[in-house]
Amino acid sequence: MELRRRPPKPPPRLSSATRLPHRKPAASATGLDDSSQSAPSPKASDVFPLPLYLTNTVFFALFFLVAYYLLHQWRHKIRHSIPLHVLTLSELAAILTLVASFIYLLGFFGIDFVQSFITSSRPSHDDDPWAIHNDDVVVVDHHPHPHPQQVILRQHQPDPDPDLPSSFTMADEDEDEREALVKAVVDGSIPSYSLESKLGDCGTAAAIRREAIQRISGKSLEGLPLAGFDYKSIFGQCCEMPIGYVQIPVGIAGPLLLDGYEYLVPMATTEGCLVASTNRGCKAIHASGGATSFILRDGMTRAPVVRFPTAKRACQLKFFLEDPSNFETLSIVFNKSSRFAKLQSIRCSPAGRNLYTRFSCSTGDAMGMNMVSKGVENVLEFLLTDFPDMEVIGLSGNFCSDKKPAAVNWIEGRGKSVVCEAVIKEDIVKKVLKTDVASLIELNVLKNLAGSAIAGALGGFNAHASNIVSAIFIATGQDPAQNVESSHCITMMESTNGGKDLHVSVTMPSIEVGTVGGGTQLASQAACLNLLGVKGASGEGSSKESAAGSNSRLLATVVAGSVLAGELSLMSAIAAGQLVRSHMKYNRSSRDVTQCGIPREQETGDNS
């Protein structure tokens, strides 16, 4: 085949997408040296006497410094009733400087446009008839002994299967790049936390980080799953530097008959017998006509700590915040943080010259920690105007109190305060729970009340409320650490209907749950919320109510109802002496799991 030489042309400029990793750009195909290439095009920024970055720095600094100075002078004139139009020489100079720097900065954003206009006459890659298109060939490298104009070309490789995750189907030519990244993480030249931003692929970042961790630790992570998870869904909101995910089985207890509706309750746990026990409690409640719940309070709290020069000043702020005439103004400032944030109350507690202020507000369907924190910041900034000597020590001073057992939560509540009750008929106590009413009442007094008092329990006057709360929290994407205060519960058991039936109730003053934000947005947790009919914000799912916050309140009542079922079943097992036997059956199985698929009649040899 005859080849014709084409006229000389400038070398094509290859985009970064056409270059293979760890290879230098190919030299000019024309063989011309740098001196023979055309001179660089002029830039609009060449007119400045200083480099562009220094000029920008000067004008940015002038603009913000002068703006701050003028605002400070404006505030001074307003406080001292000085007319704003009366200007000193320094203020006049500051205004002129502000206008000049503003004009420059405004023009600066047009420099790129001017520069692109100047260089627009240069032929583009797409308009060049001699350009080598990326879809056809890719420049790989020079021959070891090349002719000045000779380069080696190879056919463009097809894209990988789009059905397979790009994170785990790296092409052969990318293996060298991946290995280099792993080594860079191991030797510390690339921080592990920056992989997602550097690569733009959360799945690949997790895989590279995982391999680096195995090399650094010398330990294998085999058994910790990596594939099959959407790492992009947790980036920036749920988990940093992931290397896989932990599998927790989800069981179903129920149906729980609560307030006239049935709920199938998802529980994520690795404790055998827990789901079975809660399910038995649900059965007893359902057979007795169901349970009833009530929301007493609904408000998330945040309590900053501030300090003053004297205790007198701290007390003055306390009186100011607790004065009913100031509450409306403070509410307007606080509620700017969110359309769902509604300030409910402010309670202050001084300690010397330090003041702890507990703000409580409604937060819609969100658990609300971020929402209330933003509102508190707004109020603190507002207070600095009248209390300039106030020093903010911390946005949280532990008077909230978050993720810690505290009497303030037990007494005043935090999140949702719920009471749930049911009357269990005598025959159900005997047939389903395998015990009697008198034994349950006696055990509850001696164990949950007197026993907890002897132990010095704080909010722990129950059998195992935290078991059920934790399992539901994990399944529905709540913050597991808030199980601490959310499990505050007192279980009461009394006889009713002439001593024949059992009245059982749980009072839980601080259930902290939400149906939007955080882990509730993950696919698995969202599916569990959807099962309960409380997925997302109120009005988006199939919940029974549509008022703001109704989904999260309904979830709180389901948690309380499930705790009621769990308490009822465990207390019955202890009263009947079945606790150890039940755990040996469900938590210490000796059955060969390889035979689990064989029907029981075949396993025992009994076909009758």
Side-chain angles (χ1 to χ4, degrees):
M1 179 178 181
E2 182 181 2
L3 298 178
R4 299 179 182 269
R5 178 179 291 274
R6 293 178 176 177
K9 62 179 236 22
R13 298 199 312 164
L14 299 179
S15 65
S16 59
T18 64
R19 297 172 186 165
L20 292 184
H22 309 300
R23 293 190 182 272
K24 298 180 179 180
S28 171
T30 63
L32 299 178
D33 57 15
D34 295 339
S35 61
S36 63
Q37 296 180 7
S38 61
S41 301
K43 298 181 179 180
S45 58
D46 293 341
V47 300
F48 297 118
L50 294 176
L52 184 59
Y53 74 94
L54 288 178
T55 307
N56 291 341
T57 302
V58 170
F59 277 96
F60 268 111
L62 279 176
F63 180 81
F64 288 109
L65 288 175
V66 171
Y68 175 80
Y69 171 76
L70 291 174
L71 290 174
H72 184 272
Q73 292 296 105
W74 187 22
R75 178 183 178 186
H76 174 75
K77 290 184 177 182
I78 292 176
R79 286 190 170 186
H80 294 82
S81 301
I82 301 176
L84 296 179
H85 65 276
V86 177
L87 300 176
T88 63
L89 185 60
S90 60
E91 292 172 344
L92 185 60
I95 292 175
L96 293 176
T97 304
L98 180 69
V99 172
S101 59
F102 175 77
I103 293 174
Y104 168 79
L105 293 176
L106 185 64
F108 168 72
F109 290 103
I111 288 179
D112 284 341
F113 169 75
V114 175
Q115 183 171 328
S116 64
F117 178 78
I118 293 175
T119 60
S120 61
S121 60
R122 292 162 52 184
S124 66
H125 181 75
D126 293 335
D127 297 333
D128 189 355
W130 304 106
I132 299 177
H133 294 283
N134 296 339
D135 293 338
D136 299 328
V137 292
V138 178
V139 176
V140 178
D141 203 351
H142 284 286
H143 193 274
H145 304 286
H147 186 275
Q149 295 183 357
Q150 181 181 7
V151 293
I152 297 176
L153 305 178
R154 68 172 173 83
Q155 198 70 20
H156 179 68
Q157 296 293 332
D159 293 334
D161 186 355
D163 294 333
L164 296 177
S166 60
S167 308
F168 312 108
T169 58
M170 303 191 73
D172 293 339
E173 59 267 22
D174 293 334
E175 287 299 330
D176 291 341
E177 182 180 10
R178 173 171 175 166
E179 179 63 21
L181 286 171
V182 172
K183 291 180 178 179
V185 174
V186 171
D187 62 29
S189 58
I190 295 181
S192 176
Y193 62 80
S194 67
L195 286 173
E196 281 81 2
S197 300
K198 181 179 180 64
L199 299 177
D201 187 333
C202 297
T204 301
I208 291 174
R209 182 182 297 112
R210 176 192 180 99
E211 179 61 28
I213 291 297
Q214 291 184 113
R215 297 186 188 182
I216 293 172
S217 65
K219 303 292 192 302
S220 173
L221 289 173
E222 183 180 1
L224 181 67
L226 175 66
F229 188 83
D230 181 11
Y231 291 95
K232 185 178 180 180
S233 66
I234 65 173
F235 180 64
Q237 67 173 7
C238 290
C239 181
E240 299 76 36
M241 297 187 288
I243 59 173
Y245 57 96
V246 174
Q247 297 168 311
I248 301 179
V250 177
I252 290 294
L256 171 67
L257 183 56
L258 178 66
D259 298 324
Y261 296 96
E262 292 184 343
Y263 300 95
L264 295 173
V265 183
M267 302 175 66
T269 181
T270 56
E271 180 183 349
C273 205
L274 177 60
V275 177
S277 177
T278 307
N279 188 68
R280 183 174 75 149
C282 291
K283 179 180 179 180
I285 293 173
H286 197 291
S288 298
T292 305
S293 65
F294 303 92
I295 298 286
L296 303 178
R297 287 182 294 266
D298 181 8
M300 183 49 64
T301 63
R302 175 60 83 197
V305 53
V306 299
R307 182 168 60 197
F308 287 90
T310 63
K312 178 181 178 180
R313 288 290 288 161
C315 293
Q316 287 175 346
L317 177 59
K318 168 183 167 64
F319 297 143
F320 177 85
L321 292 174
E322 294 181 346
D323 187 347
S325 62
N326 296 325
F327 184 79
E328 183 177 357
T329 301
L330 295 173
S331 296
I332 294 174
V333 175
F334 185 97
N335 297 345
K336 291 191 300 182
S337 62
S338 170
R339 62 191 179 98
F340 295 107
K342 297 292 182 290
L343 183 63
Q344 296 173 338
S345 64
I346 304 174
R347 177 187 172 187
C348 301
S349 182
R353 61 181 184 147
N354 305 299
L355 184 66
Y356 298 82
T357 306
R358 193 172 193 256
F359 293 82
S360 177
C361 78
S362 60
T363 58
D365 284 304
M367 185 271 290
M369 286 300 303
N370 292 333
M371 193 183 301
V372 67
S373 297
K374 293 177 183 177
V376 169
E377 280 189 338
N378 292 341
V379 173
L380 292 177
E381 292 177 3
F382 172 78
L383 292 175
L384 284 172
T385 303
D386 294 320
F387 296 88
D389 54 343
M390 180 181 71
E391 180 184 2
V392 179
I393 304 300
L395 188 63
S396 174
N398 273 6
F399 188 39
C400 312
S401 173
D402 186 40
K403 301 180 175 71
K404 291 167 285 291
V408 68
N409 292 338
W410 177 250
I411 297 172
E412 295 194 356
R414 189 171 194 256
K416 278 71 174 172
S417 300
V418 185
V419 176
C420 188
E421 65 177 349
V423 175
I424 310 301
K425 298 177 181 178
E426 181 182 21
D427 60 329
I428 301 300
V429 173
K430 293 180 179 179
K431 294 179 180 179
V432 178
L433 302 177
K434 311 299 182 184
T435 184
D436 59 84
V437 173
S439 298
L440 281 173
I441 294 174
E442 181 183 26
L443 177 64
N444 187 70
V445 171
L446 296 179
K447 171 181 167 62
N448 288 343
L449 304 182
S452 297
I454 291 176
L458 180 60
F461 297 90
N462 57 80
H464 71 148
S466 63
N467 250 341
I468 291 89
V469 172
S470 295
I472 299 177
F473 270 31
I474 295 172
T476 58
Q478 311 304 312
D479 188 342
Q482 290 184 321
N483 162 69
V484 175
E485 61 268 39
S486 296
S487 296
H488 282 184
C489 171
I490 181 169
T491 300
M492 299 295 294
M493 293 185 179
E494 304 169 82
S495 62
T496 186
N497 297 332
K500 295 191 304 178
D501 300 334
L502 175 70
H503 181 277
V504 57
S505 67
V506 292
T507 303
M508 307 179 70
S510 50
I511 300 178
E512 299 169 0
V513 293
T515 58
V516 296
T520 65
Q521 302 176 75
L522 301 180
S524 301
Q525 288 80 348
C528 292
L529 289 171
N530 188 55
L531 178 65
L532 291 170
V534 295
K535 177 183 175 182
S538 302
E540 294 181 358
S542 58
S543 59
K544 310 300 184 298
E545 301 175 308
S546 59
S550 61
N551 275 2
S552 60
R553 288 192 291 270
L554 178 55
L555 178 58
T557 62
V558 170
V559 171
S562 303
V563 169
L564 181 70
E567 290 286 282
L568 189 60
S569 183
L570 177 59
M571 292 294 288
S572 299
I574 296 175
Q578 299 174 343
L579 179 64
V580 175
R581 185 163 64 252
S582 299
H583 275 269
M584 289 301 101
K585 177 180 179 181
Y586 290 98
N587 211 15
R588 293 290 187 273
S589 176
S590 60
R591 187 182 180 194
D592 185 0
V593 294
T594 62
Q595 302 296 320
C596 287
I598 302 177
R600 181 167 295 275
E601 60 270 14
Q602 295 182 19
E603 181 183 349
T604 60
D606 183 6
N607 296 323
S608 59

